[in-house]
Amino acid sequence: MDMTVISLIVVSIITAATPLLIAALGELIVEKSGVLNLGIEGMMVIGAVTGFITVQTLGSAPLAIVISMLSGAALAGIFAFLTLSLQANQVATGLALTIFGLGLSSLLGREFVGMSYEGLPKLEISFLSELPFFGPILFGHDALVYFSFLLVWLTFWFLNKTRAGLILRAVGESHSAAHSIGYPVIKIRYLAVIYGGAMSGLAGAYLSLAYSPMWAEAMTAGRGWIALALVVFAMWLPSRVLIGAYLFGGITILQLHGQSFGIDIPSEFLSMLPYLATILVLVVISRQNQSNTKPACLGQIFYPSK
């Protein structure tokens, strides 16, 4: 296997990992606030379909990205209203959100099935993009790939270096204590959930505008669930989300190209690999002590005192 083939494989892993990384980092902020949103899959697929419809009808990729983020945020807002204002069960509501998102996306995108798009433009830098091996890996991607790297640092910086991040973590660790000293727990969680929805919508936009620039029903194919598992795998640490996303990105590429690599395994088994890996990771992580990193109030309903 020559260096050109290896560089193409690395590029494929990067593109496969990008939507997982963006969605997982958004969910990490949500869970740090103490809210568990299982609706990532639904928000991602809504972001994918609305972004694709926008770029097909209006021809603007930046606008399509914005619409995708707003669509994901809107769906997350519904989840926030049901779970934070009406105090519905977060697990059941998140599952319903996924089902709703998949159904709504099929309805909205029924006239766009099979249509293709040229893809987001690559940010190539003349001679740097032409360097052997490292050129395509470092300088041949679209803006969302570079944004995903920046998002890892921004998430770490926000959670650990800012007052707002400290307040968010405090709400996730003890919403009663945070409320008692005057922090608006519900408002903070609303903002976190809506932000997470916007990131899920952005991840969906990457799928339909860059990774597989077309629209197909349920094209997220379980990536929302993998992103959810990544947060647990990372033990709610942004740097480990990056590692996990690229690990799962590699497994996805193995699924797609395994037989072309000479791996004599049935294609059906290779298709199972990302989800089998998700289950194995969750089993291993569940046996570890997560008390130092898991938000103490994760998934708990907050009942504000009168």
Side-chain angles (χ1 to χ4, degrees), residues 146-167:
Y146 298 111
F147 173 74
S148 70
F149 290 117
L150 177 63
L151 190 61
V152 176
W153 179 83
L154 288 175
T155 304
F156 173 83
W157 174 79
F158 171 76
L159 290 174
N160 296 282
K161 304 296 182 180
T162 68
R163 183 173 183 270
L166 178 62
I167 293 172

Side-chain angles (χ1 to χ4, degrees), residues 52 55-56 112-119 208 213-215:
F52 189 78
V55 82
Q56 286 290 342
F112 296 86
V113 174
M115 290 187 182
S116 60
Y117 171 60
E118 61 185 8
S208 62
M214 59 175 292
W215 167 247

Side-chain angles (χ1 to χ4, degrees), residues 19-28 30-31 35-41 43-44 79 90-91 94-95 98 200 222-236 241 248 278 281-282 285 290 298:
L20 300 177
L21 181 58
I22 294 173
L25 288 172
E27 177 62 15
L28 185 146
V30 176
E31 295 192 12
V35 178
L36 178 63
N37 186 355
L38 299 182
I40 301 178
E41 182 86 358
M43 295 182 294
M44 281 182 71
F79 171 85
Q90 293 179 11
V91 173
L95 293 174
T98 289
S200 293
R223 288 180 177 85
W225 299 110
I226 294 176
L228 190 68
L230 278 178
V231 179
V232 182
F233 166 81
M235 293 187 175
W236 295 270
V241 172
F248 279 91
T278 302
V281 163
L282 291 177
I285 293 298
Q290 303 175 8
L298 181 62

Side-chain angles (χ1 to χ4, degrees), residues 134-145:
F134 291 105
I137 293 175
L138 299 178
F139 305 105
H141 302 287
D142 57 78
L144 291 184
V145 171

Side-chain angles (χ1 to χ4, degrees), residues 188-241:
I188 291 168
R189 287 183 169 175
Y190 255 100
L191 292 174
V193 169
I194 290 173
Y195 169 79
M199 291 300 100
S200 293
L202 179 60
Y206 184 83
L207 286 175
S208 62
L209 300 180
Y211 184 66
S212 298
M214 59 175 292
W215 167 247
E217 289 188 12
M219 68 179 303
T220 47
R223 288 180 177 85
W225 299 110
I226 294 176
L228 190 68
L230 278 178
V231 179
V232 182
F233 166 81
M235 293 187 175
W236 295 270
L237 300 174
S239 59
R240 288 189 59 167
V241 172

